[in-house]
Amino acid sequence: MKIILASNNKNKLREIKEILSPLGFEVISQREAGADIEAEENGVTFEENAAIKAHAIYDMLHCPVIADDSGLSVDALDGAPGVYSARYAPEGKWCEKLISEMKDIPDDKRGAGFVCAICYIDNNGTEHFFRGECRGKIGYEERGTNGFGYDPVFMVGERTFAEISSEEKNKISHRANALSLLQDHLKG
Ligand code: IMP
């Protein structure tokens, strides 16, 4: 089955392909599907934003679509940056800003969680939602060169998401957890 990913983010596309391809799903980006549009993500929850992105593509192409909206919720910042993760700092400056905001936060208060909401719109236009989370801690410095976004400061155990391989990340990440629920649904 072919599913369109309502995103052109190459990191997300790669991770989602790596997880769904072995199950026999062909995931293509919205650009490859001929829909080069960008919906305005003005929802206040991850689910609302995922639905906005998925609908923008479904309403145009009328075939199965998945959209994910994800971000980092930091306990000491009352859940921020949350749905505003992409807009928290200029491109590429996310980790730097977070490290600086967290500089006086002690070890035991540095908990955080990546969240991923997936909206899947099936052939009949029905929405289905799946949410995955991954708990960790915010480090004191950027470490590692794999991954993207907040990966260099997000620690699971002794290593950051940017220090582990994509295979390891794909077993435990918020996106992997949400995709695994989607996968159960698709298998019926
Ligand atoms: P979205 O494209 O609106 O879902 O924005 C999500 C933002 O959260 C991205 O810009 C990333 O900075 C961050 N983010 C989401 N998932 C991850 C991840 O797996 N690793 C690192 N950062 C992530």
Side-chain angles (χ1 to χ4, degrees):
M1 183 168 109
K2 196 181 265 189
I3 303 181
I4 300 168
L5 174 67
S7 172
N8 288 316
N9 180 320
K10 60 180 189 329
N11 295 297
K12 283 187 183 177
L13 185 65
R14 176 183 46 78
E15 284 188 8
I16 292 174
K17 267 188 177 167
E18 281 169 2
I19 294 167
L20 290 184
S21 302
L23 303 168
F25 297 101
E26 188 194 345
V27 182
I28 62 169
S29 72
Q30 61 175 67
R31 188 176 294 131
E32 289 170 292
D36 213 357
I37 53 166
E38 195 157 338
E40 195 189 343
E41 295 174 37
N42 53 10
V44 295
T45 63
F46 292 110
E47 279 76 7
E48 273 184 75
N49 279 338
I52 289 168
K53 290 187 254 189
H55 267 291
I57 301 300
Y58 184 83
D59 295 348
M60 203 172 169
L61 302 175
H62 297 281
C63 47
V65 177
I66 54 176
D68 104 316
D69 195 60
S70 48
L72 182 67
S73 264
V74 179
D75 302 351
L77 303 178
D78 291 328
V83 285
Y84 305 105
S85 292
R87 289 162 273 176
Y88 174 66
E91 182 84 30
K93 299 279 182 201
W94 301 291
C95 295
E96 202 178 308
K97 180 169 174 193
L98 186 58
I99 288 167
S100 140
E101 270 206 81
M102 298 281 291
K103 69 178 185 317
D104 298 323
I105 307 292
D107 255 358
D108 61 337
K109 298 210 164 42
R110 299 181 72 89
F114 267 125
V115 178
C116 171
I118 286 182
C119 175
Y120 165 58
I121 305 185
D122 66 21
N123 251 327
N124 306 317
T126 307
E127 289 176 353
H128 307 266
F129 291 95
F130 310 93
R131 175 180 271 238
E133 298 198 24
C134 178
R135 288 289 301 173
K137 280 174 81 169
I138 303 303
Y140 293 90
E141 61 187 7
E142 292 186 46
R143 278 182 12 204
T145 51
N146 299 328
F148 66 101
Y150 295 87
D151 283 346
V153 285
F154 186 76
M155 306 198 55
V156 175
E158 294 307 308
R159 290 179 302 164
T160 69
F161 259 9
E163 290 180 303
I164 63 177
S165 64
S166 68
E167 288 78 18
E168 283 179 88
K169 182 179 172 189
N170 289 345
K171 284 189 190 129
I172 57 170
S173 79
H174 49 312
R175 199 164 292 106
N177 292 334
L179 285 169
S180 138
L181 297 174
L182 169 67
Q183 179 190 323
D184 292 344
H185 171 86
L186 292 172
K187 279 193 208 150

